[in-house]
Amino acid sequence: MLSIKDLHVSIDGKPILKGINLEVKAGEVHAIMGPNGSGKSTLSQLLAGRSGYTVDSGSVTYKDQDLLELAPEERSWEGVFLAFQYPVEIPGVNNTYLLRAGLNAIRKHRGEAEINAVDFLKLVREKAKLVELDESFLSRSVNQGFSGGEKKRNEIFQMAVLEPALAILDETDSGLDIDALRIVAEGINKLRNEDRAFILITHYQRLLDYIEPDFVHVLADGQIQRSGDKSLALELEREGYSWLDSDTGSETDAA
Amino acid sequence: MSAALNQTSDWHPQLATALDTLPGNNIGWLAQRRDKALNQFLELGFPTRKTEAWKYVATHSIAQITPVLSQNAIIDSAQIAQWRLDGCDELVFVDGIYHQSLSSVTDNAGLEIKNLAELLKNSPDETKALLSQLDHKAHDAFDALNQALLRDGAVITIADDALIERPLHCLFVSTNTSKAITPINNWIFAGKNSQCSIVETYIGDDESNSLTSARTNIKLAANSELNHYRCQRESKQAYHLAELQVELARDSRYNAYPIALGGAIARVNVQITLAGQNAECTVNGLYLTKDKQVSDHHIKMHHAVPHCNSNQLFKGVMDGASRAIFNGLILVDKDAQKTQADLSNRNLLLSKLADINTKPELEIYADDVKCSHGATIGQLDEKSIFYLQSRGISREQAEHLLTYAFINDVVNRIKLASLRQKIASLIIGQLPDSEFISELV
């Protein structure tokens, strides 16, 4: 589904990603871990289409298309979804209406009819339950006045409604207490299926206690230093990132 | 500057003729009052860019107006149907002159609605006493001009203890296409413990190019409450110079909603005086400009006594090669201890050629007060645009949506539902992607 080959990316002339290689197939869950400043967020934002990055070399192929050539909204229509590390508050724009507009844009792209209001309401109610999001959040402005945990749950709720093919979760577990983490993780687990792939960007092994990944990658200094199965995460938990080159973990997070 | 700058004296012969045609010119005090104002107009001269309050406005284009009075045009009800407000009593003025046949006023106990021209004709002495309650000295030539041409307008008196549930809508329609002057003078007297909502709407035909010179004087008695909406959507050729003077007695509440959408040059000069303790004033303002429009707001919030609150929010969106000016002064007198006064001015620039000059000011002579003021100027937030895009919204639509969301914050504060909907659809209608936006907010 997603194929990243020797990807080099810089911001304002400063190299951030220095040769990333990653293959993600439908149905797989990939966890990408790594210290601050390793380029995790850059990778996730780049895949979703955020501007401001320069791709110096390499390629990203998604469903046989050059992903980097697509505008962010086109990526969304093609099934790419990013759960933001810092979801944006948008006062004055209704949470549910935004979602309906997004869903309809995706359906239109696929040549499907727009969803009618009754079916949509049924859908959002069902999906809100999935992440135990109170219905009152549906009628509020996007993320406005939401707590940190509510924002993250809202991201997963949006993902559940939009049903992406490739979901990239950028530190969705950060800053959550254990109950919120469990709710978010369960929501994600219920959305796992053989057609959908996940990239979980995380700083903490804890998330992987709840979501079992197929692959774990360690990103440091702009490169994937090691890949393995879930046992790699446990190894990291025990030993930290200290085995990595000592000067790689200290850069500030450029993303 | 290619056009020769007019002197106020150039207007003298035509204005003198105009004064002779005004109603009530045989009434001694009124003729005197007008003459005095005319002399002030001549003495003061047109403001120039050297005048601080007019620094950013090219007044020479206003001075190209023909100094004659706009005459009462004939229009039919269908022409103004779209501007009527459901559930309101309505006074309609066409080119500054009251039209009874277009107006509809129900019998509202406690609300006395008159028009100035009629009052001057029927009871000149009482009118003199009424007007003297809110007298002032003209502060610039245009204000003096307005006083000299005192002709018609709404005179609204809310009785003590009257709770007026049906809002009153004063609709001022500009149709004049010969660059004439339309003077309007309104008075609102809110009696003790009274409550009322009043809307002033100034609209213009697409072709109208007159100068509307509108002054509204408001006096709130003790413990009264007034919601005052002022919506201006004149044509893009028209000039609109407005004065709003408000005086609050103790425990009164005044909520103002100045909304400026139209005009080639539109200026609103507001002077609010908190003259009685525990008076409270909120202002939620909005100005939108595009093309070559100029929109200017000068606000003076004067805390004259202790224990009063004022809270002001003004938002502006400038597109094209337009310009907005915002000047908000909070003045706190020495005796006005325990004042709480806040002022926020937030601006969004949509084009590189658009311009905003904002100057919030504090002038505080008391030592135990809580005052804040701030201004922001910005473009649309890239993070928000990206977030919307990542949810499937195109960049263009995201930009239009965020622009409206910025504006919507003020529109949503309008308590009168019929007006809120009208303003919202009017603004959304001006934006591209209007259908899309109306589904999302």
Side-chain angles (χ1 to χ4, degrees):
Chain A
M1 180 186 286
L2 180 75
S3 173
I4 303 176
K5 291 210 166 79
D6 195 29
L7 185 66
H8 290 254
V9 172
S10 58
I11 302 174
D12 298 330
K14 187 184 169 209
I16 305 292
L17 301 180
K18 304 168 185 173
I20 299 277
N21 290 288
L22 184 68
E23 294 288 330
V24 178
K25 294 192 177 68
E28 293 177 350
V29 174
H30 291 249
I32 297 180
M33 306 184 67
N36 283 335
S38 57
K40 302 189 302 286
S41 280
T42 299
L43 179 63
S44 62
Q45 303 243 0
L46 178 86
L47 292 176
R50 174 104 194 246
S51 58
Y53 302 109
T54 307
V55 177
D56 299 311
S57 63
S59 66
V60 181
T61 310
Y62 169 76
K63 289 184 175 173
D64 302 324
Q65 298 175 79
D66 181 356
L67 185 70
L68 303 177
E69 283 297 308
L70 301 179
E73 61 268 30
E74 292 171 317
R75 299 182 198 199
S76 163
W77 301 340
E78 290 289 344
V80 176
F81 179 90
L82 172 66
F84 281 60
Q85 182 182 4
Y86 303 111
V88 184
E89 294 193 13
I90 309 184
V93 175
N94 179 287
N95 205 20
T96 310
Y97 298 167
L98 167 66
L99 213 43
R100 189 176 64 194
L103 181 61
N104 279 332
I106 292 167
R107 290 171 72 111
K108 191 179 163 196
H109 181 71
R110 291 191 199 134
E112 297 169 7
E114 292 198 349
I115 188 165
N116 71 49
V118 178
D119 289 346
F120 182 73
L121 197 62
K122 227 170 90 185
L123 177 74
V124 293
R125 284 199 170 134
E126 178 197 321
K127 302 296 186 186
K129 274 195 198 121
L130 196 72
V131 285
E132 299 178 25
L133 196 66
D134 191 272
E135 276 189 28
S136 66
F137 286 86
L138 301 178
S139 56
R140 285 164 64 175
S141 288
V142 179
N143 291 321
Q144 194 184 21
F146 290 23
S147 70
E150 286 158 356
K151 283 179 185 169
K152 297 298 179 80
R153 277 179 356 207
N154 194 36
E155 294 292 287
I156 302 304
F157 161 65
Q158 293 182 357
M159 179 175 83
V161 172
L162 297 178
E163 299 194 312
L166 174 64
I168 304 154
L169 278 58
D170 189 2
E171 299 207 19
T172 300
D173 56 323
S174 295
L176 294 185
D177 64 35
I178 197 73
D179 292 329
L181 178 68
R182 196 178 294 131
I183 291 166
V184 164
E186 278 170 16
I188 295 168
N189 281 329
K190 284 178 190 156
L191 293 169
R192 280 178 81 159
N193 66 37
E194 59 190 17
D195 299 321
R196 183 170 296 140
F198 286 86
I199 297 175
L200 308 178
I201 309 265
T202 181
H203 197 66
Y204 304 103
Q205 191 273 336
R206 190 180 65 158
L207 175 67
L208 307 180
D209 293 342
Y210 298 94
I211 302 171
E212 196 174 305
D214 299 301
F215 301 93
V216 175
H217 309 277
V218 180
L219 184 64
D221 193 24
Q223 287 183 324
I224 290 177
Q225 307 285 350
R226 278 183 69 183
S227 295
D229 59 14
K230 62 177 175 174
S231 62
L232 177 59
L234 296 171
E235 192 183 317
L236 285 172
E237 175 77 354
R238 276 196 312 275
E239 296 173 20
Y241 297 109
S242 55
W243 53 272
L244 294 167
D245 212 356
S246 59
D247 64 4
T248 56
S250 57
E251 291 171 31
T252 50
D253 197 332
Chain B
M1 215 177 293
S2 56
L5 202 62
N6 273 324
Q7 300 296 320
T8 48
S9 56
D10 295 348
W11 285 16
H12 192 187
Q14 278 170 290
L15 282 178
T17 311
L19 253 63
D20 285 340
T21 67
L22 285 168
N25 65 338
N26 54 342
I27 304 167
W29 66 267
L30 185 58
Q32 262 178 25
R33 184 189 162 114
R34 286 171 177 155
D35 273 339
K36 194 178 138 204
L38 179 63
N39 286 328
Q40 277 182 333
F41 169 76
L42 297 170
E43 278 165 28
L44 287 164
F46 288 117
T48 67
R49 284 175 186 264
K50 287 178 193 150
T51 317
E52 177 64 24
W54 290 86
K55 195 171 169 185
Y56 302 104
V57 181
T59 51
H60 66 270
S61 66
I62 305 176
Q64 300 306 311
I65 278 288
T66 320
V68 299
L69 285 163
S70 62
Q71 294 307 317
N72 195 0
I74 311 289
I75 62 170
D76 64 53
S77 198
Q79 268 175 274
I80 55 165
Q82 62 160 321
W83 300 106
R84 291 193 183 275
L85 281 180
D86 290 343
C88 294
D89 279 344
E90 238 152 0
L91 296 183
V92 179
F93 293 78
V94 181
D95 293 321
I97 294 172
Y98 178 60
H99 262 241
Q100 192 168 19
S101 61
L102 295 170
S103 304
S104 64
V105 179
T106 51
D107 190 16
N108 230 327
L111 187 64
E112 200 184 329
I113 304 169
K114 294 272 169 60
N115 70 295
L116 181 66
E118 180 199 317
L119 271 176
L120 288 171
K121 201 168 94 188
N122 298 337
S123 40
D125 292 340
E126 283 163 52
T127 313
K128 184 188 178 188
L130 201 65
L131 303 197
S132 65
Q133 284 189 49
L134 267 174
D135 234 345
H136 78 291
K137 190 173 179 296
H139 56 82
D140 64 29
F142 291 116
D143 190 24
L145 180 68
N146 171 274
Q147 296 302 297
L149 297 176
L150 192 72
R151 182 169 72 170
D152 206 352
V155 181
I156 300 155
T157 310
I158 306 149
D160 289 354
D161 304 308
L163 306 178
I164 311 299
E165 284 183 14
R166 199 171 159 82
L168 175 64
H169 181 204
C170 303
L171 177 59
F172 301 91
V173 187
S174 300
T175 70
N176 181 278
T177 54
S178 51
K179 295 199 157 196
I181 301 172
T182 299
I184 295 166
N185 282 274
N186 305 311
W187 275 265
I188 302 171
F189 298 95
K192 272 182 220 160
N193 306 316
S194 68
Q195 279 183 33
C196 191
S197 291
I198 295 178
V199 186
E200 287 178 45
T201 306
Y202 296 85
I203 56 130
D205 284 356
D206 288 347
E207 305 303 315
S208 67
N209 58 9
S210 50
L211 164 64
T212 298
S213 167
R215 171 174 262 278
T216 299
N217 305 292
I218 299 177
K219 193 167 181 172
L220 285 93
N223 203 33
S224 62
E225 179 170 314
L226 178 66
N227 295 316
H228 180 217
Y229 304 93
R230 189 185 198 287
C231 313
Q232 181 272 113
R233 225 290 307 255
E234 301 249 23
S235 90
K236 283 200 190 140
Q237 291 79 246
Y239 302 104
H240 185 94
L241 302 180
E243 298 284 340
L244 174 60
Q245 190 184 332
V246 187
E247 203 180 294
L248 285 82
R250 58 170 300 168
D251 306 313
S252 63
R253 280 115 27 223
Y254 175 66
N255 305 311
Y257 302 83
I259 294 167
L261 306 176
I265 295 179
R267 181 179 157 99
V268 184
N269 190 48
V270 181
Q271 298 210 40
I272 298 172
T273 308
L274 298 144
Q277 293 200 14
N278 196 36
E280 202 173 287
C281 177
T282 64
V283 185
N284 287 296
L286 182 66
Y287 46 92
L288 308 182
T289 58
K290 55 182 179 181
D291 303 327
K292 288 187 171 175
Q293 284 181 290
V294 176
S295 184
D296 180 354
H297 284 79
H298 271 69
I299 320 289
K300 181 172 164 187
M301 183 69 70
H302 182 185
H303 284 257
V305 295
H307 296 287
C308 292
N309 294 343
S310 68
N311 194 325
Q312 303 179 68
L313 169 68
F314 277 86
K315 281 193 166 190
V317 179
M318 282 62 66
D319 201 354
S322 67
R323 157 174 285 185
I325 299 107
F326 179 83
N327 188 305
L329 168 68
I330 297 171
L331 170 62
V332 182
D333 285 355
K334 190 161 174 262
D335 294 333
Q337 301 292 4
K338 304 287 178 189
T339 286
Q340 178 151 358
D342 301 300
L343 165 63
S344 166
N345 174 226
R346 298 188 57 200
N347 298 284
L348 188 57
L349 291 175
L350 296 180
S351 113
K352 286 201 169 70
L353 294 174
D355 192 16
I356 167 76
N357 298 91
T358 173
K359 192 164 99 176
E361 290 177 276
L362 292 176
E363 212 177 302
I364 301 173
Y365 298 99
D367 54 15
D368 184 14
V369 301
K370 262 166 88 176
C371 297
S372 75
H373 70 321
T376 61
I377 302 169
Q379 285 84 40
L380 290 168
D381 177 33
E382 276 299 327
K383 279 185 200 153
S384 302
I385 294 174
F386 176 56
Y387 189 82
L388 292 172
Q389 281 181 292
S390 76
R391 299 301 179 253
I393 310 299
S394 76
R395 185 178 172 97
E396 247 190 346
Q397 286 184 325
E399 287 174 358
H400 301 147
L401 179 61
L402 290 171
T403 303
Y404 186 71
F406 178 84
I407 297 167
N408 198 21
D409 178 28
V410 175
V411 176
N412 268 337
R413 292 165 196 243
I414 297 174
K415 290 181 234 175
L416 185 60
S418 57
L419 180 68
R420 184 174 63 242
Q421 285 152 14
K422 192 144 286 192
I423 297 287
S425 64
L426 191 63
I427 294 170
I428 291 174
Q430 284 183 4
L431 292 171
D433 287 320
S434 51
E435 203 177 314
F436 170 76
I437 294 168
S438 60
E439 283 176 9
L440 267 82
V441 292

